Amino acid sequence: MSAPSHAPVLADKIALRRLGRERRQAFVEGLAPEERGRLEHRLADVLDPLLAKSRVLGGYAPLPTEISPLPALERAAARGTVLAFPAFSDHQSAFRSLAGEPVETGPWAVLQPALDAPHVNPDLVLVPLIAVDRKGTRLGQGKGHYDRAAAELPTQGALLIGLGWSVQMLDEEIPADAWDLPLDGFASPQGLEMFR
């Protein structure tokens, strides 16, 4: 008797990641710059009730097709909320949430705070994603950065809210591995859906 293969689950995640990237890319390519900006400001409106309760907010510097959290982060900073961003010291390290502006390019070619910035524990983390299902299972870039680095945050009371365009919410169920960190909610310009 042969051992069960895990290839179908892996293939499913690969296919769903490809589908999520294609949907995101096509959606963003169809947006005029002013429409994109309007939608990203609408996302800040959707997030406002959560932002109002946050003292330390974890954000991210967006990649070109990711929805930008920057209008939401600016709104939170205007209220005195401490902003934090993921920062990597090298390709092998898990990221740390560091307070401050993303001012230098990290090892993954994404802007991050200087490595000597203060380490903080966000109470609300805005998480980029490629896709999410209706149970809160997230597909990221596939390297597990958020799963490793943010694993202890929910035990400290932090909310993990995935951000994306509405087309990134899949009706298909994403296979969840034991190490996948479930999201508490998903926010798009169309609204906020809480999973737990």
Side-chain angles (χ1 to χ4, degrees):
M1 180 176 210
S2 64
S5 169
H6 294 288
V9 171
L10 182 60
D12 287 345
K13 275 190 150 177
I14 290 170
L16 290 172
R17 191 172 277 116
R18 183 175 56 248
L19 173 65
R21 282 189 174 115
E22 289 169 358
R23 284 184 180 179
R24 184 174 71 183
Q25 182 74 33
F27 181 79
V28 169
E29 286 176 357
L31 289 177
E34 60 276 2
E35 176 68 3
R36 181 175 180 164
R38 187 186 69 73
L39 289 173
E40 290 170 340
H41 279 85
R42 175 68 188 124
L43 176 66
D45 293 340
V46 167
L47 290 169
D48 201 53
L50 297 176
L51 299 175
K53 297 175 187 174
S54 178
R55 292 177 182 230
V56 181
L57 174 61
Y60 61 91
L63 296 174
T65 59
E66 289 177 340
I67 195 164
S68 177
L70 299 181
L73 296 175
E74 290 167 5
R75 185 175 295 185
R79 290 184 173 131
T81 303
V82 173
L83 301 183
F85 293 85
F88 297 86
S89 56
D90 55 50
H91 284 98
Q92 286 72 43
S93 67
F95 76 73
R96 296 178 299 139
S97 293
L98 300 183
E101 293 294 319
V103 293
E104 61 185 38
T105 303
W108 297 104
V110 176
L111 287 176
Q112 64 183 36
L115 292 176
D116 60 354
H119 178 261
V120 293
N121 291 317
D123 52 42
L124 173 61
V125 182
L126 306 178
V127 183
L129 50 79
I130 291 173
V132 63
D133 69 15
R134 300 203 178 271
K135 293 182 177 179
T137 305
R138 170 188 173 268
L139 272 181
Q141 297 291 348
K143 294 186 175 29
H145 295 308
Y146 275 89
D147 298 315
R148 285 192 308 275
E152 77 280 355
L153 290 175
T155 64
Q156 298 168 0
L159 275 179
L160 304 177
I161 304 296
L163 300 187
W165 309 104
S166 61
V167 298
Q168 292 176 259
M169 171 67 81
L170 302 181
D171 290 325
E172 299 88 345
E173 188 172 324
I174 297 169
D177 292 307
W179 56 83
D180 286 337
L181 191 63
L183 296 174
D184 295 302
F186 172 69
S188 75
Q190 283 65 44
L192 172 64
E193 181 174 342
M194 296 301 290
F195 305 118
R196 51 196 122 270

